[in-house]
Amino acid sequence: MTVTRFITRLFQFRPMLFLVNGIMWGMFHAIPLLIGLGMQWFFDRATTQSHDYMWLAVPLIVIALVRILRVGVFFAAFYQWVTYIYHIQAVLRTNMLAGIMRWPGRHLPASPGDAASRFRDDVNEVVDYVESWVDFWGRLAFTIVSIIIMANINWQITVVAILPLLAVTVLNNLSGNRARRYSQQNREATSKITGFIAEIFGAVQALKLGQAERHVHQRFVKLNEDRRQAALKDTLFTQWMKSLNQHVLTISTGGILLMCATEMQAGRFSVGDFALFTSYLTNFAFSISLFGYMVFQHKRLQVSLDRMRILFQPGEEDRVVEHSQIYLDEDPPAPPVRTLNDSERLQSLEVDQVSFTYPDSEHGIHDIQFRVNRGEFLVITGRIGSGKSTLMRTLLGLLKKSEGTIRWNGKEIDPASFLTPPKAAYTPQVPRLFSDPLRENIIMGSHDREKDALEHAIRLAWSGIWNSLKMVLIRM
């Protein structure tokens, strides 16, 4: 998916919000046209040696009213913009999370810290680019109308004002490849350091047992220095491009004002015309700088788009911009209560020649075969590293088996999609809890049956503990 197609699809999500933002910010950026005309009107009257001070005050009053109007438009437009970016962030992050959940066994195709940086930094990069497009229409309208007005006053000076647009566009196009490279290095370095931090917290006991604190600290310092260097290059290059754009335009503006002074000396340019040009050139320079920087952003955005697409299964990458349902103004619907009919209840579970081998390794499980009937209790024992957890994760689809079949009541199943609650439940060796009360971690959103779900879970937990104790006593 190209950046152009991605942005087009994104604009089609909540199109009315995008349209309202475009109109309101278009008004905000176009209002300075009236301010420039008002300044021209005022200075032309001020230099006519007129003693009609009342008429001299009229343009000042008009300019003041226009500025007050612009402040009001800004607050209304800012509210609409905040609403719009929340929708953009929500739909992208919702789609990315849904993409992760569709992987076999909810497999995370990146480290947790890396994935978090994609949810945060890459989505924010998209928002920054969308913001430029929201400003684009107002800036474009201002640029076109101001060029027409200035050309009617003096077309030679207007032509000189347009030339920097070409220079800025060429500069940003030439810098595109380097911008992408620096942005990608910065994102990758950030992902490594955040992922490493997550791994440290997840393996605190192992680090203490192995007395590896010094080695972990050295690795952390190395990764942090790499990130600092990458972030410095990316930020410095981005700011350098912004500064270059603005300096080119500032120098051009100075040359244009000198030309205006020459025309005034020749009597072909009034003080009012000079005031209008001065007013328009500042906003005109900002508009041209924005157009050039958008080219630079377009090049950089490909890096963020590629990073977000990695979280999806092959063939599903374009779903990153899918128009999914989000709930910002109301609560989401309650999750459906899943019940089993008689045909779905377990009668037998058959595992036939199931194998799994870790990538680039010979370790795993091979040719596992057994059968469990309803009411039976099966215990799998073995030394540490013998493959007990690997077997359980393979049976549940958390790891994708390489060979063999799994049958539920005699029918072959895909464990990743079939063996889900209430058909199966899994408590990992290292528990993973949400930042919620324990009750919420047990009922997992089943508020309609909260009491029954909680009591049932506690009863099953005690039953599991008691059976485990009995097995320990029998082995002793």
Side-chain angles (χ1 to χ4, degrees):
M1 176 182 283
T2 63
V3 172
T4 302
R5 184 184 171 193
F6 168 74
I7 289 297
T8 302
R9 285 278 294 151
L10 191 61
F11 288 159
Q12 293 171 359
F13 178 75
R14 300 291 190 270
M16 285 305 300
L17 267 177
F18 176 70
L19 182 62
V20 168
N21 271 276
I23 292 174
M24 299 197 72
W25 286 105
M27 292 173 56
F28 175 78
H29 293 305
I31 285 176
L33 291 168
L34 301 177
I35 297 176
L37 292 173
M39 293 179 64
Q40 183 190 38
W41 184 17
F42 171 79
F43 282 104
D44 281 343
R45 285 182 175 276
T47 55
T48 57
Q49 305 298 324
S50 174
H51 297 286
D52 190 352
Y53 296 107
M54 181 60 69
W55 279 105
L56 193 61
V58 169
L60 293 179
I61 296 173
V62 171
I63 292 175
L65 292 175
V66 170
R67 287 192 175 276
I68 293 174
L69 173 64
R70 192 169 188 242
V71 172
V73 171
F74 170 79
F75 283 107
F78 185 76
Y79 174 81
Q80 293 297 327
W81 166 243
V82 171
T83 303
Y84 187 44
I85 64 173
Y86 280 161
H87 280 79
I88 293 174
Q89 291 173 340
V91 72
L92 290 177
R93 288 168 178 161
T94 298
N95 291 339
M96 291 161 66
L97 181 60
I100 292 174
M101 298 301 291
R102 284 192 296 268
W103 278 89
R106 281 60 174 170
H107 168 69
L108 189 64
S111 67
D114 186 14
S117 72
R118 296 168 198 258
F119 274 79
R120 181 190 63 233
D121 300 333
D122 294 312
V123 170
N124 289 338
E125 187 80 22
V126 174
V127 170
D128 290 342
Y129 187 54
V130 171
E131 182 180 11
S132 297
W133 272 105
V134 169
D135 290 330
F136 171 81
W137 308 106
R139 291 290 187 182
L140 179 64
F142 175 88
T143 301
I144 294 174
V145 176
S146 62
I147 286 176
I148 294 174
I149 294 174
M150 290 189 297
N152 287 330
I153 297 174
N154 191 304
W155 67 269
Q156 293 95 335
I157 298 178
T158 305
V159 170
V160 175
I162 298 174
L163 291 178
L165 176 62
L166 301 176
V168 167
T169 303
V170 170
L171 285 174
N172 283 281
N173 270 298
L174 292 176
S175 66
N177 292 331
R178 180 165 293 186
R180 277 196 298 266
R181 185 169 68 252
Y182 286 159
S183 177
Q184 184 171 5
Q185 291 173 353
N186 187 16
R187 292 286 189 272
E188 290 177 351
T190 301
S191 298
K192 288 180 180 179
I193 188 67
T194 52
F196 187 68
I197 292 173
E199 291 173 356
I200 291 175
F201 282 101
V204 170
Q205 293 181 348
L207 294 178
K208 290 183 176 180
L209 183 63
Q211 298 181 346
E213 292 91 339
R214 184 171 59 86
H215 300 290
V216 171
H217 179 263
Q218 292 175 349
R219 177 64 175 167
F220 180 77
V221 171
K222 174 65 169 56
L223 291 175
N224 204 41
E225 177 62 20
D226 292 342
R227 179 184 179 274
R228 188 186 72 83
Q229 293 287 344
L232 180 63
K233 290 180 181 178
D234 186 31
T235 304
L236 183 62
F237 187 72
T238 301
Q239 295 301 322
W240 182 79
M241 288 303 303
K242 286 184 178 180
S243 177
L244 184 62
N245 293 338
Q246 293 175 359
H247 279 78
V248 168
L249 298 172
T250 302
I251 295 172
S252 173
T253 301
I256 293 169
L257 293 178
L258 290 176
M259 293 178 63
C260 292
T262 303
E263 292 294 309
M264 288 178 63
Q265 189 176 15
R268 295 188 295 269
F269 214 69
S270 68
V271 176
D273 295 335
F274 182 80
L276 182 142
F277 266 70
T278 303
S279 173
Y280 282 1
L281 283 176
T282 301
N283 287 288
F284 185 76
F286 279 132
S287 299
I288 295 178
S289 177
L290 173 66
F291 302 154
Y293 188 60
M294 285 179 68
V295 177
F296 181 77
Q297 284 182 303
H298 189 89
K299 303 286 188 180
R300 282 172 52 97
L301 189 60
Q302 187 65 54
V303 175
S304 295
L305 177 58
D306 292 340
R307 282 170 50 82
M308 290 188 295
R309 283 159 54 91
I310 289 176
L311 299 180
F312 294 80
Q313 293 188 68
E316 291 189 356
E317 294 90 345
D318 291 354
R319 298 185 69 176
V320 64
V321 74
E322 186 176 50
H323 296 174
S324 56
Q325 183 66 40
I326 59 175
Y327 302 92
L328 295 182
D329 301 318
E330 70 276 352
D331 293 330
V337 178
R338 302 178 61 183
T339 57
L340 297 178
N341 55 44
D342 292 338
S343 62
E344 292 178 316
R345 295 184 183 278
L346 175 65
Q347 302 302 325
S348 65
L349 177 66
E350 301 175 61
V351 178
D352 186 17
Q353 304 296 322
V354 169
S355 300
F356 170 82
T357 304
Y358 288 99
D360 302 324
S361 171
E362 297 180 355
H363 300 292
I365 56 175
H366 304 279
D367 301 329
I368 303 298
Q369 186 170 358
F370 62 84
R371 175 188 175 97
V372 180
N373 295 317
R374 181 180 180 86
E376 293 182 348
F377 186 79
L378 176 65
V379 176
I380 299 173
T381 64
R383 295 183 303 173
I384 295 175
S386 61
K388 302 183 299 297
S389 299
T390 301
L391 173 59
M392 294 303 303
R393 292 172 61 83
T394 304
L395 294 180
L396 291 169
L398 300 176
L399 298 174
K400 191 172 183 179
K401 57 184 176 62
S402 56
E403 296 178 359
T405 57
I406 300 174
R407 297 183 182 88
W408 179 279
N409 297 342
K411 296 181 180 180
E412 185 174 350
I413 60 170
D414 173 24
S417 58
F418 186 85
L419 290 180
T420 58
K423 300 186 188 76
Y426 171 57
T427 301
Q429 184 174 350
V430 179
R432 304 291 184 182
L433 299 178
F434 291 99
S435 299
D436 279 321
L438 182 59
R439 182 183 68 254
E440 298 293 333
N441 278 273
I442 293 176
I443 64 176
M444 295 297 288
S446 301
H447 292 281
D448 293 338
R449 302 189 305 164
E450 177 175 341
K451 184 177 179 180
D452 293 340
L454 185 60
E455 291 180 352
H456 183 61
I458 294 174
R459 188 164 56 251
L460 289 177
W462 276 112
S463 176
I465 293 173
W466 176 242
N467 287 324
S468 297
L469 288 174
K470 286 196 297 184
M471 292 303 301
V472 172
L473 293 174
I474 290 172
R475 295 187 63 182
M476 291 176 61

